[in-house]
Amino acid sequence: MSSTDDQGAARGAPVSREALREVFADEVVTHALSRDVQLPYGAGKAVLITLDNGHDHTKPNTFGPAGLLSLDEAIEAARARSDISAVAVTGKPFIFAVGADLSGVPQVQNRDQALAVAKLGHDVFRKLGELDVPTFAFVNGAAMGGGVEVALHCRYRTVSSGVPAFSLPEAFLGLVPGWGGTYLLPRLIGVEKALKIVIDNPLAQNKTIKGPEVRESGIADAMFEPADFVEESLRWAARVIKGETAVERPEVDTGPAWDQAIDNARFMLEGKLHGAAPAPVRALELVAASKDRTRDEGFAAEDEALADLIMSEELTAGLYAFDLNQKRAKRPAGAPDKSLARPVTKVGVVGAGLMAGQLALLFARRLDVPVVMTDLDQERLDRGVAYVHGEIDKLLSKGRVSSDKANRLKAQVTGSLSMGAFADADFVIEAVFEKMSVKQDVFAQVEAEVSPEAILATNTSSLSITEMASKLKHPERVVGFHFFNPVAVLPLLEIVRGERTDDASLATAFATAKQLKKTAVLCKDAPAFVVNRLLTLFMGAVLGAVEEGTEPEVADRSVAPLGLPMSPLMLLQLVGPAVALHVAETLHEAFPDRFGVSEQLRRVVESGKTEIYGPDLQIDPEVREMFAGGGNPSSEDEIRQRALEALAREIRIMLDEGVVAEPADIDLCLITGAGWPFHLGGITPYLDRSGISEKVNGSLFHPDGPAAV
């Protein structure tokens, strides 16, 4: 833990609340609206505070200085009364509150202002836990960050079973839950469950939990249905006040199990991030120390941590990445007018392998339309349809779909040996072997069966869309529709426009992507598009070092300081050596001066090996032998520098070629398709900050600083 956390930092003059309002001048103020409610069962009168920013659920409640001060006024007004028996807080329809107003954070000029923001949140929220009357949080809708912390400060909590998202996402962005979260949560539900919410979930692509899980975890004391949630919560509160309902919470274990959970989390963080992201580590240290701290000490430590992190590069990077996902992803650059899109009422999938099965399941779930799979082999086709049905059964067992929904989905996904089954399909996607002649033949067969307006989409990872469509009567309806594996997890969808793709087909592709809940980025028809082109180059730098004589483990560790989700050789195993070799050969053919083909990788593929690592997570001895050779090893730093310089050079070339519209699109692709860490804020700002952009290209990708839109 830093000395800042324990001892505080040198501070300037206190920042006034009015000065904070000026920093957050554009705040959409969440007002705390109070009304008196007569409780049933003779339990007296309660003040019900409703958080409401005056907008519908598409603009959630957040807390900036003015919103915090509005809540402060409401709490103080309730404190001054002697005729009430409780205070309760709830939110507007569908939304409780989703945390701090981050829009003003870039305007924070110094650490004193940052510290004042942190302290103001604590000063207001803690009053909910220190009133003389019982306080209740009625979590009626989405609750994140500071919204969750408001609830934690209350003495009791109810949650709606319909709450779709509940989380403390701060570590994901480069912050810590700094308004009570790291102190109150572990002391409420125990350190192991708290760490899952404070650290594990944010680092798992910002995972959230739903209402029932909030109740099961012990955060909420009771759960009610959405239809009459507030009414039932008030009845429950009345019974608690009258002593008719006892709220029992298990005692938190602060013995050796606490320390072991902290050690386990520290080990996990080091393995995943290699020290590259300070916020999760800071959050962990705050949680660890909460065991022995007083309330005042815990809150003061959170204040110091927030003040440090608000001024950090990590937060700037995280907010840029967040804006990419929240803003740019919802308004894809270059997408045609959505009014041109044609409806999709039936989908065809050519192929019945693993990727085809994932696509069939996704289309059926998201579009809720019939999906028919085709293959030349009945056994393979049956296996493909069975895979989809099996995945639907898994969703049912996890409660993700109802029994009726599961049965309907199974009925919608069928198989056929004849492409005649596509006759009334509006959208057909192929997921067959990655060879141009095979894909051209497939599209020729499909075109003979479908209407002239039906979209023909290809899931190719590297081949030319224009060439693939060149022999068709209607090449204008062919579009690249490249998903990333696993399809259900990675959000990116590279939509590729061929030279003859028309606006209506492209608009339909984007509309379909939106229905599939994917992040669509428009790409030019260039070899390997965006993600595979850059990952192949990156991996090539590592494999090149191995060919020169670097030990495979050394080369694989070289990029660990970036905190990537997996090492290059582990990624090679996930993608598959044969696929990686094919993409490398495609890019070498297109750009022989910049993309090489590893002869060692070719040997691995020709041997039939599909895995780089053995079951013990050590490199397979036979693969190691194939990787042997070369007499000019490099250090980890040298390999990492070469790889990053190659990326900077290639990204500049791609932007000059018009592969995507702007650097932000490159960043969005790598974050959503390759797991580039949020805390680095996209590859192009990282290359700018580290000086590599200027060294290689003579200029920055973002001369005026990164902007997502």
Side-chain angles (χ1 to χ4, degrees):
M1 190 175 302
S2 70
S3 59
T4 306
D5 186 26
D6 282 332
Q7 300 166 12
R11 305 180 189 178
V15 178
S16 71
R17 292 181 170 188
E18 198 53 47
L20 279 186
R21 283 182 190 261
E22 292 175 11
V23 172
F24 287 73
D26 296 328
E27 176 184 354
V28 177
V29 180
T30 295
H31 296 282
L33 309 174
S34 298
R35 64 186 176 98
D36 286 359
V37 177
Q38 196 66 43
L39 295 170
Y41 318 127
K45 189 187 298 179
V47 172
L48 179 63
I49 300 172
T50 301
L51 304 173
D52 192 342
N53 63 6
H55 297 266
D56 67 16
H57 67 280
T58 61
K59 199 169 190 68
N61 298 327
T62 56
F63 292 110
L68 289 170
L69 293 174
S70 177
L71 179 58
D72 190 51
E73 290 172 11
I75 297 170
E76 285 299 329
R79 188 204 294 272
R81 295 176 60 175
S82 59
D83 62 334
I84 59 171
S85 55
V87 172
V89 182
T90 192
K92 67 183 182 181
F94 309 111
I95 302 289
F96 186 69
V98 298
D101 176 11
L102 297 176
S103 64
V105 169
Q107 310 309 316
V108 174
Q109 298 298 308
N110 55 57
R111 192 180 186 280
D112 290 334
Q113 291 179 347
L115 186 64
V117 170
K119 286 179 61 62
L120 180 59
H122 274 129
D123 290 347
V124 174
F125 288 179
R126 70 181 299 164
K127 292 177 182 179
L128 289 166
E130 297 169 357
L131 289 177
D132 293 333
V133 296
T135 52
F136 297 83
F138 300 157
V139 183
N140 63 304
M144 301 175 193
V148 169
E149 288 167 309
V150 167
L152 291 176
H153 278 275
C154 293
R155 201 176 305 175
Y156 305 102
R157 286 157 293 281
T158 66
V159 68
S160 166
S161 62
V163 166
F166 184 100
S167 67
L168 289 171
E170 287 85 352
F172 177 68
L173 294 172
L175 290 170
V176 296
W179 284 341
T182 65
Y183 181 80
L184 297 171
L185 188 61
R187 296 167 73 93
L188 174 67
I189 62 173
V191 70
E192 190 168 353
K193 288 193 283 187
L195 287 171
K196 187 171 184 62
I197 292 170
V198 172
I199 293 175
D200 293 0
N201 288 355
L203 295 183
Q205 294 192 315
N206 205 18
K207 180 182 176 183
T208 63
I209 61 175
K210 300 182 187 299
E213 295 169 275
V214 177
R215 175 69 186 100
E216 289 163 17
S217 70
I219 297 173
D221 303 304
M223 183 174 72
F224 303 108
E225 293 301 309
D228 52 359
F229 172 70
V230 172
E231 292 81 357
E232 286 299 320
S233 294
L234 288 167
R235 290 190 188 96
W236 180 84
R239 290 194 294 272
V240 170
I241 292 166
K242 294 284 288 182
E244 296 169 6
T245 294
V247 175
E248 296 179 358
R249 296 175 184 144
E251 186 176 346
V252 170
D253 184 351
T254 57
W258 180 293
D259 297 329
Q260 185 60 54
I262 295 295
D263 289 343
N264 292 344
R266 191 175 286 119
F267 180 78
M268 179 275 293
L269 279 182
E270 179 55 34
K272 182 173 283 193
L273 300 175
H274 306 283
V281 176
R282 197 73 179 266
L284 174 62
E285 299 303 341
L286 287 167
V287 170
S290 69
K291 177 176 74 166
D292 301 314
R293 280 178 167 153
T294 65
R295 191 179 180 88
D296 287 344
E297 290 169 342
F299 292 173
E302 287 181 339
D303 288 341
E304 298 296 340
L306 263 189
D308 288 343
L309 292 168
I310 285 174
M311 301 309 297
S312 69
E313 278 190 345
E314 183 191 7
L315 179 60
T316 302
L319 291 179
Y320 168 70
F322 182 74
D323 281 346
L324 284 176
N325 278 266
Q326 293 298 308
K327 296 176 182 177
R328 193 170 190 88
K330 294 175 182 176
R331 293 187 290 275
D337 189 323
K338 61 184 179 182
S339 67
L340 298 173
R342 294 190 284 262
V344 174
T345 59
K346 181 178 177 179
V347 173
V349 179
V350 184
L354 179 59
M355 177 56 80
Q358 291 183 76
L359 297 180
L361 177 62
L362 180 70
F363 277 96
R365 283 195 73 195
R366 299 297 188 212
L367 269 61
D368 200 17
V369 298
V371 177
V372 60
M373 304 171 70
T374 63
D375 200 278
L376 298 174
D377 180 84
Q378 184 69 56
E379 184 180 344
R380 199 161 54 222
L381 183 63
D382 291 343
R383 201 160 53 238
V385 174
Y387 164 80
V388 178
H389 288 189
E391 291 300 301
I392 294 169
D393 284 335
K394 289 180 185 176
L395 293 171
L396 176 62
S397 68
K398 294 175 182 176
R400 302 271 298 278
V401 297
S402 67
S403 179
D404 287 346
K405 176 76 170 176
N407 289 334
R408 189 167 77 251
L409 285 173
K410 286 182 182 180
Q412 285 178 329
V413 180
T414 58
S416 174
L417 292 173
S418 169
M419 288 198 185
F422 295 155
D424 54 346
D426 310 295
F427 192 106
V428 178
I429 184 167
E430 67 77 20
V432 298
F433 184 65
E434 189 79 346
K435 187 175 180 181
M436 181 61 75
S437 60
V438 173
K439 292 180 184 289
Q440 286 179 328
D441 183 54
V442 162
F443 272 168
Q445 293 178 56
V446 174
E447 187 173 56
E449 304 291 345
V450 299
S451 73
E453 291 79 28
I455 303 298
L456 303 188
T458 170
N459 187 46
T460 182
S461 60
S462 61
L463 299 177
S464 167
I465 309 304
T466 302
E467 184 180 350
M468 204 178 296
S470 62
K471 298 180 181 180
L472 298 176
K473 294 177 184 175
H474 295 284
E476 71 278 357
R477 39 87 167 275
V478 177
V479 63
F481 215 62
H482 180 220
F483 291 87
F484 289 79
N485 197 18
V487 171
V489 175
L490 291 174
L492 181 63
L493 182 55
E494 290 177 331
I495 295 184
V496 187
R497 183 172 201 158
E499 288 179 9
R500 298 183 64 180
T501 305
D502 63 21
D503 283 352
S505 299
L506 200 62
T508 305
F510 273 99
T512 304
K514 186 175 182 180
Q515 285 183 279
L516 294 173
K517 298 185 178 178
K518 291 295 179 183
T519 298
V521 175
L522 179 62
C523 306
K524 181 182 176 182
D525 187 12
F529 318 128
V530 175
V531 172
N532 282 347
R533 180 165 168 176
L534 293 175
L535 285 186
T536 300
L537 187 73
F538 197 63
M539 198 181 297
V542 173
L543 292 176
V546 174
E547 282 201 313
E548 291 171 356
T550 307
E551 286 293 320
E553 289 87 354
V554 173
D556 207 28
R557 281 198 310 270
S558 65
V559 297
L562 299 177
L564 300 172
M566 63 182 67
S567 71
L569 294 184
M570 191 64 79
L571 177 63
L572 177 62
Q573 177 167 302
L574 176 68
V575 170
V579 173
L581 178 64
H582 168 74
V583 176
E585 289 173 335
T586 300
L587 285 162
H588 176 67
E589 186 178 338
F591 312 116
D593 57 326
R594 303 196 304 279
F595 288 83
V597 177
S598 167
E599 291 306 314
Q600 293 176 334
L601 177 59
R602 194 188 302 280
R603 286 203 293 271
V604 171
V605 173
E606 289 172 352
S607 75
K609 284 280 184 184
T610 59
E611 297 192 344
I612 306 299
Y613 289 90
D616 58 356
L617 294 182
Q618 301 296 313
I619 291 177
D620 184 295
E622 293 179 21
V623 172
R624 174 182 290 285
E625 198 172 316
M626 293 180 220
F627 277 164
N632 186 28
S634 299
S635 70
E636 293 179 23
D637 289 346
E638 289 169 335
I639 298 167
R640 183 170 62 256
Q641 187 70 13
R642 280 204 301 270
L644 291 170
E645 288 181 8
L647 283 178
R649 193 175 298 112
E650 195 65 25
I651 290 169
R652 173 47 61 197
I653 291 169
M654 292 167 69
L655 292 168
D656 291 344
E657 290 175 350
V659 175
V660 291
E662 294 178 20
D665 294 313
I666 298 277
D667 297 328
L668 184 58
C669 283
L670 287 187
I671 288 169
T672 57
W676 180 264
F678 243 66
H679 66 265
L680 296 181
I683 179 66
T684 61
Y686 176 79
L687 294 171
D688 282 356
R689 288 197 309 276
S690 58
I692 294 173
S693 302
E694 282 196 287
K695 177 184 176 184
V696 171
N697 300 322
S699 62
L700 300 173
F701 289 110
H702 303 274
D704 301 319
V709 291

